[in-house]
Amino acid sequence: LHAACKCAGVRELRVHDLRHSCMSMMVQIFPLSDVQVYAGHANIQTTMKYIHHQPQNDAAARFGAMIEKKSVNRG
């Protein structure tokens, strides 16, 4: 990993940096309880450190689509 970073001309990363990036992205699309299991955390508070505030500009549209999908599935 260190040699690849040097070759690419980017700052040196640790494997833990990659794990943190992965978990930070996962909490944006998966339920926190799923990410907790994927990460192997015994306590959900440990997983909470991966939650960073990110504005969800499309939140209303996504919520509306979910409601619409649920109503279509019932009908």
Side-chain angles (χ1 to χ4, degrees):
L1 181 60
H2 299 290
C5 288
K6 185 175 183 176
C7 183
V10 298
R11 74 174 179 85
E12 201 167 287
L13 296 171
R14 302 168 298 158
V15 172
H16 185 78
D17 296 325
L18 300 175
R19 174 184 166 87
H20 183 80
S21 294
C22 180
M23 296 301 140
S24 295
M25 289 185 278
M26 288 180 74
V27 298
Q28 295 177 42
I29 58 172
F30 294 109
L32 194 59
S33 56
D34 288 355
V35 178
Q36 176 188 6
V37 172
Y38 299 148
H41 296 151
N43 188 319
I44 196 74
Q45 292 301 325
T46 305
T47 313
M48 295 286 288
K49 71 181 175 184
Y50 295 109
I51 296 178
H52 309 285
H53 174 71
Q54 294 196 3
Q56 301 290 320
N57 298 330
D58 64 339
R62 288 177 36 224
F63 185 70
M66 179 191 70
I67 297 299
E68 184 177 327
K69 182 179 177 182
K70 288 192 181 288
S71 66
V72 168
N73 287 341
R74 287 189 197 160

